[in-house]
């Protein structure tokens, strides 16, 4: 009988496609919106993700996210280095500077000044050039998204994409010359500004108007020591804030969630997708069942048990749900994959997100099946004699 | 549940059924007594609203009477649980409907296999047996045809094959010829009667169509919820109706 249930489903092609499309559209909204939200949220701590070597981040107590930086005195670096349990500690400058492009346009960019000796904090993946080239005069490394996007050389012809920055090109940062020595991959920041890497001492030169430049101290606990305990010790002894990388990520994320309407906005869209999906799918599926009600009544008269009929309806709903969800998640994955070619926002559709959205779609089809099944189960078999 | 070849298939005693309550109450059955023997073709006739369909529904176990008893194959249906009654219906009763009620997206073969599948017969075996029944109603060459491609008479023959597929002891038919022209209706009744009588099945047919009365072994005339009289087969030869 289950095969017959499927034949009934596939037999009514119009409604079948309606159900599938309804579920697919809901799936797209339910998967894509959280995917965008999660990707954007992950950008709030992209700096911490990209700089993986240190396990402790030290900063001013008032810093709330990795996008936020408040300068420390350089002497704080030496204090941190002197704390028991610290294997090493290096400075990191993070600031927002103005870059003048060849055509005279000005762009804001984030500059990261890395420890001159170790270059800790530098990009993990180089597309062109090498990290060590930062030791060359006026050297900066530009992130790929920035090089292809906002910092690209404009051709002057409307609608034509700019020519990406390449190794050897020059920029002007705060009226000082900078030479591009490398192009690197970096996770975009929350504000999607271009990222420029240089050495800490050269960053001082580019940001000469700033009196204090030390944004973060990156530290590592000695082998065998708990980074969390070492971070607590640093905080206690220096009166600075010190967090492990995971703690700092959570802190950045919590701040964004509590101080922006992102969660509410995206959550609302997901909820609308869920409700509309339930309503549309439920309505079409219910109509499909109503159209077949007389046949369900005939089956019932012929001896089909309620359990058998319920199984048939559930099978129809679950299969339609599976196909709709498959199409929806496929389209979303294809869309996400297309974003990987660009350099701005790279959407990720992870397994947890797929599982959660699959559960939501399951709820939609179960709700649709519930109303349909209720109608069938309440049907009096004697109705079959009413023509 | 076993019955001998001579004991009645259907025994109804004092059946009453009322729809609605209070001023809107309609007494559809008002104390019906009826027996149907194996191999007998009984027609229930009477004006619209006289209680024919209610009676056939009670006999088929798809409607509960208010009072009285209805025994099928020696089993009082009122003593069965709802689930047992459903299973009992599936095993012992075949249905033929006025509007055929064939599932349009299934082939004739699959439609006929439905009662077998409901009774737990494996698909391949069900289709094999369905093919045999389709052949018996003269449509052996229409295995893969869907109902929409058949004429009304052919559809009703498929419906008859479906009603007989699981070898039920009782077949109930609701106006099986009302949607058919006279000649086609006669052919359908020919088929129905020959297949039912051959296997000693009991048949209860609700009809308005006086042209098919000659096919009956007995005719129960109903009016206002009671059986007024039961007459034996009319003198006219059934064949002359065709």
């Amino acid at each position: 009988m289950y095969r017959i249930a499927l034949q009934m489903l596939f037999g009514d092609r119009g409604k079948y496609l309606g159900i599938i499309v309804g579920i697919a559209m809901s799936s797209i909204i339910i998967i894509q919106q959280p995917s965008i939200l999660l990707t954007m949220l992950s950008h709030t701590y992209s700096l911490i993700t990209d700089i993986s070597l240190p396990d402790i981040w030290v900063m001013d107590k008032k810093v709330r996210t990795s996008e936020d930086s408040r300068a420390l005195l350089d002497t704080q670096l030496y204090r941190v280095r002197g704390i028991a349990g610290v294997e090493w500690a290096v400075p990191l400058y993070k600031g927002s500077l103005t870059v003048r492009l060849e055509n005279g346009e000005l762009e804001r960019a984030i500059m990261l000044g890395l420890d001159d000796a170790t270059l800790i904090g530098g990009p993990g993946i180089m597309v062109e050039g090498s990290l060590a080239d930062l030791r060359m005069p006026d050297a900066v490394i530009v992130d790929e998204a920035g090089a292809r996007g906002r910092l690209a050389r404009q051709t002057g012809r409307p609608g034509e994409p700019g020519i990406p920055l390449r190794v050897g090109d020059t920029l002007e940062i705060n009226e000082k010359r900078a030479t591009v020595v490398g192009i690197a991959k970096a996770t975009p920041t929350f504000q999607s500004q271009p990222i420029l890497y240089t050495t800490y001492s050269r960053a001082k030169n580019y940001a000469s108007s700033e009196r204090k430049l030390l944004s973060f101290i990156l530290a590592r606990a000695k082998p065998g020591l708990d980074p969390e305990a070492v971070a607590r010790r640093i905080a206690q002894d220096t009166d600075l804030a010190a967090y492990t990388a995971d703690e700092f990520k959570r802190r950045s994320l919590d701040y964004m969630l509590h101080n922006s309407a992102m969660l509410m906005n995206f959550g609302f869209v997901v909820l609308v997708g869920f409700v509309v999906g339930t309503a549309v799918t439920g309505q079409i599926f219910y109509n499909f069942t109503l159209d077949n009600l007389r046949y369900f009544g005939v089956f019932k008269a012929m001896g089909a048990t309620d359990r058998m009929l319920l199984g048939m309806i559930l099978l129809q709903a679950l299969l339609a749900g599976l196909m709709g969800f498959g199409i929806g998640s496929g389209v979303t994955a294809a869309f996400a994959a297309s974003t990987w070619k660009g350099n701005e926002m790279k959407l990720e559709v992870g397994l947890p997100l797929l599982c959660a959205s699959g559960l939501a779609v399951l709820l939609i089809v179960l709700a649709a099946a519930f109303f349909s099944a209720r109608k069938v189960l309440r049907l009096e078999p004697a109705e079959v004699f009413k023509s | 549940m076993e019955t001998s070849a001579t004991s009645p298939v259907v025994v109804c005693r004092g059946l009453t059924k009322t729809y609605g309550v209070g001023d809107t109450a309609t007494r559809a059955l008002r104390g019906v007594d009826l027996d149907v023997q194996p191999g007998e073709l009984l027609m229930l006739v009477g004006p619209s609203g006289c209680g024919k369909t209610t009676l056939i529904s009670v006999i088929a176990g798809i409607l509960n009477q208010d009072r009285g008893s209805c025994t099928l194959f020696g089993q009082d249906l009122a003593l069965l649980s709802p689930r047992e009654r459903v299973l009992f219906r599936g095993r012992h009763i075949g249905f033929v409907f006025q509007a055929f009620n064939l599932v349009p997206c299934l082939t004739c073969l699959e439609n006929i296999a439905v009662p077998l599948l409901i009774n737990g017969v494996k698909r391949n075996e069900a289709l094999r047996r369905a093919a045999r029944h389709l052949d018996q109603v003269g449509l052996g060459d229409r295995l893969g045809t869907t109902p929409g491609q058949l004429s009304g008479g052919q559809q009703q023959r498929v419906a008859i094959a479906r009603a007989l597929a699981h070898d039920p002891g009782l077949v109930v038919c609701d106006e099986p010829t009302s949607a058919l022209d006279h000649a086609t209706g006669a052919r359908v009744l020919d088929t129905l009667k020959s297949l039912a009588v051959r296997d000693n099945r009991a048949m209860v047919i609700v009809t308005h169509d006086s042209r098919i009365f000659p096919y009956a072994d007995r005719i129960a005339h109903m009016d206002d919820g009671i059986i007024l009289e039961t007459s034996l087969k009319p003198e006219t030869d059934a064949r002359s109706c065709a």
Side-chain angles (χ1 to χ4, degrees):
Chain A
M1 286 306 285
Y2 296 122
R3 187 162 165 169
I4 282 176
L6 297 183
Q7 284 176 278
M8 287 167 75
L9 177 68
F10 299 141
D12 192 342
R13 200 163 292 176
K15 285 205 173 56
Y16 166 63
L17 287 177
I19 296 168
I20 301 280
V21 169
I23 296 172
M25 297 307 284
S26 299
S27 304
I28 288 171
I29 296 172
I30 292 171
I31 300 168
Q32 194 195 39
Q33 290 298 310
S35 164
I36 294 172
L37 175 65
L38 291 175
T39 306
M40 286 175 74
L41 289 177
S42 74
H43 288 180
T44 63
Y45 51 77
S46 58
L47 181 71
I48 311 167
T49 309
D50 284 359
I51 301 176
S52 58
L53 207 52
D55 46 25
I56 298 166
W57 288 66
V58 185
M59 66 208 78
D60 187 277
K61 275 183 167 174
K62 291 197 171 62
V63 170
R64 291 159 301 193
T65 76
S66 59
E67 295 278 309
D68 184 19
S69 62
R70 290 162 198 249
L72 307 169
L73 289 169
D74 280 353
T75 52
Q76 299 286 20
L77 173 64
Y78 306 116
R79 291 187 66 192
V80 172
R81 281 176 176 163
I83 289 166
V86 174
E87 171 90 352
W88 49 255
V90 295
L92 179 74
Y93 166 77
K94 178 175 179 285
S96 182
L97 301 177
T98 304
V99 179
R100 181 184 290 275
L101 308 179
E102 276 188 357
N103 63 357
E105 290 281 337
L106 298 176
E107 277 288 349
R108 295 296 289 180
I110 291 169
M111 174 162 275
L112 295 178
L114 317 177
D115 177 46
D116 290 53
T118 61
L119 298 178
I120 286 174
I125 303 170
M126 295 297 296
V127 179
E128 275 185 70
S130 104
L131 186 60
D133 293 342
L134 273 187
R135 296 198 173 93
M136 292 162 67
D138 302 329
V140 290
I141 292 173
V142 184
D143 78 302
E144 194 179 24
R148 287 173 185 261
R150 295 194 191 181
L151 299 181
R153 284 184 293 152
Q154 300 305 311
T155 59
R157 288 184 285 276
E160 195 169 300
I163 301 165
L165 278 183
R166 305 203 54 183
V167 171
D169 289 345
T170 57
L171 298 168
E172 194 181 300
I173 304 170
N174 274 356
E175 298 179 356
K176 297 179 182 72
R177 176 190 159 87
T179 306
V180 177
V181 296
I183 307 292
K185 280 198 180 296
T187 309
T189 62
F190 188 69
Q191 293 165 344
S192 295
Q193 287 180 334
I195 302 171
L196 301 171
Y197 298 87
T198 189
T199 59
Y200 186 73
S201 57
R202 197 172 301 121
K204 278 182 175 176
N205 185 37
Y206 287 125
S208 55
S209 59
E210 297 176 32
R211 195 170 60 86
K212 295 188 289 184
L213 287 171
L214 183 57
S215 311
F216 297 101
I217 298 168
L218 310 178
R220 189 165 184 91
K222 283 185 173 163
L225 292 182
D226 177 19
E228 206 173 316
V230 176
R232 297 293 89 82
R233 197 177 301 154
I234 293 170
Q236 195 179 347
D237 292 358
T238 61
D239 204 29
L240 296 171
Y243 307 107
T244 63
D246 284 342
E247 285 173 338
F248 193 26
K249 279 183 187 176
R250 268 200 305 278
R251 188 177 162 81
S252 300
L253 193 59
D254 285 349
Y255 179 81
M256 276 298 171
L257 289 178
H258 289 109
N259 291 279
S260 73
M262 280 167 60
L263 193 61
M264 200 174 73
N265 290 341
F266 279 90
F268 182 73
V269 173
V270 170
L271 187 67
V272 167
F274 183 80
V275 171
V276 171
T278 307
V280 171
T281 309
Q283 182 66 41
I284 300 173
F285 193 75
Y286 185 71
N287 284 344
F288 164 76
T289 306
L290 281 189
D291 287 349
N292 286 293
L293 203 58
R294 61 192 287 205
Y295 306 115
F296 282 117
V298 169
F299 296 160
K300 211 168 183 177
M302 285 177 173
T305 59
D306 285 350
R307 194 172 161 180
M308 187 181 280
L309 296 174
L310 190 64
M312 289 173 75
I313 291 169
L314 270 179
L315 180 67
Q316 290 171 336
L318 288 175
L319 189 81
L322 189 68
M323 297 190 77
F325 181 69
I327 293 170
S329 52
V331 168
T332 313
F335 175 74
S338 74
T339 66
W340 282 74
K341 289 176 192 155
N343 299 291
E344 295 291 330
M345 182 181 281
K346 292 181 170 65
L347 289 182
E348 287 187 34
V349 183
L351 190 61
L353 177 60
L354 278 179
C355 291
S357 47
L359 198 64
V361 172
L362 181 66
L363 287 177
I364 289 176
V365 294
L366 287 182
F370 170 76
F371 291 108
S372 299
R374 210 172 60 147
K375 187 79 182 169
V376 170
L377 297 183
R378 285 182 174 179
L379 176 71
E380 283 293 332
E383 295 284 317
V384 294
F385 284 135
K386 290 184 180 170
S387 57
Chain B
M1 212 175 297
E2 291 299 316
T3 53
S4 70
T6 54
S7 56
V9 171
V10 181
V11 180
C12 298
R13 291 291 177 268
L15 287 181
T16 66
K17 179 71 185 176
T18 303
Y19 295 110
V21 288
D23 294 341
T24 59
T26 306
R27 295 186 69 190
L29 296 180
R30 299 191 301 155
V32 172
D33 295 329
L34 182 71
D35 290 357
V36 186
Q37 303 298 328
E40 181 181 31
L41 195 161
L42 174 83
M43 285 188 185
L44 286 174
V45 303
S48 293
C50 70
K52 302 186 298 289
T53 301
T54 300
L55 179 57
I56 202 177
S57 298
V58 172
I59 289 172
I62 56 177
L63 186 69
N64 294 332
Q65 70 272 25
D66 295 334
R67 274 196 291 275
S69 69
C70 182
T71 304
L72 263 63
F73 307 101
Q75 174 65 58
D76 186 345
L77 294 182
L79 300 179
L80 296 175
S81 69
R83 183 178 159 77
E84 285 170 336
R85 184 185 291 213
V86 168
L87 296 175
F88 183 89
R89 219 160 51 212
R91 280 196 298 271
H92 296 289
I93 303 171
F95 292 85
V96 178
F97 306 98
Q98 180 179 358
F100 320 134
N101 285 342
L102 299 171
V103 184
C105 59
L106 302 182
T107 63
C108 295
L109 199 62
E110 288 164 338
N111 266 292
I112 295 168
V114 165
L116 294 165
L117 296 170
I118 287 174
N119 280 298
V121 177
K122 297 280 180 214
R123 186 176 167 84
N124 285 344
E125 171 63 10
L127 292 176
R128 195 183 60 74
R129 283 162 65 177
R132 201 179 67 219
H133 284 278
L134 192 60
D135 196 43
Q136 283 175 352
V137 296
L139 294 170
D141 57 339
R142 310 304 287 266
L143 298 175
T145 309
T146 54
Q149 297 168 293
L150 299 178
S151 68
Q154 287 172 322
Q155 287 191 51
Q156 195 60 297
R157 277 149 68 192
V158 173
I160 290 167
R162 180 178 65 179
L164 301 176
H166 55 302
D167 202 20
L170 171 67
V171 179
V172 293
C173 312
D174 182 42
E175 305 276 7
T177 58
S178 69
L180 307 174
D181 62 65
H182 182 214
T184 309
R187 273 201 299 279
V188 165
L189 254 293
D190 270 338
T191 308
L192 198 52
K193 184 158 188 183
S194 65
L195 292 174
V197 170
R198 190 189 65 187
D199 295 326
N200 211 31
R201 293 186 180 96
M203 297 188 69
V204 180
I205 297 177
V206 166
T207 185
H208 277 105
D209 188 354
S210 59
R211 294 169 303 185
I212 64 167
F213 288 176
Y215 288 92
D217 295 316
R218 206 152 49 99
I219 298 175
H221 297 268
M222 285 191 76
D223 196 8
D224 203 17
I226 55 172
I227 293 178
L228 297 175
E229 63 166 333
T230 306
S231 57
L232 292 177
K233 178 178 178 174
E235 287 304 312
T236 320
D237 181 12
R239 298 280 160 192
S240 67
C241 297

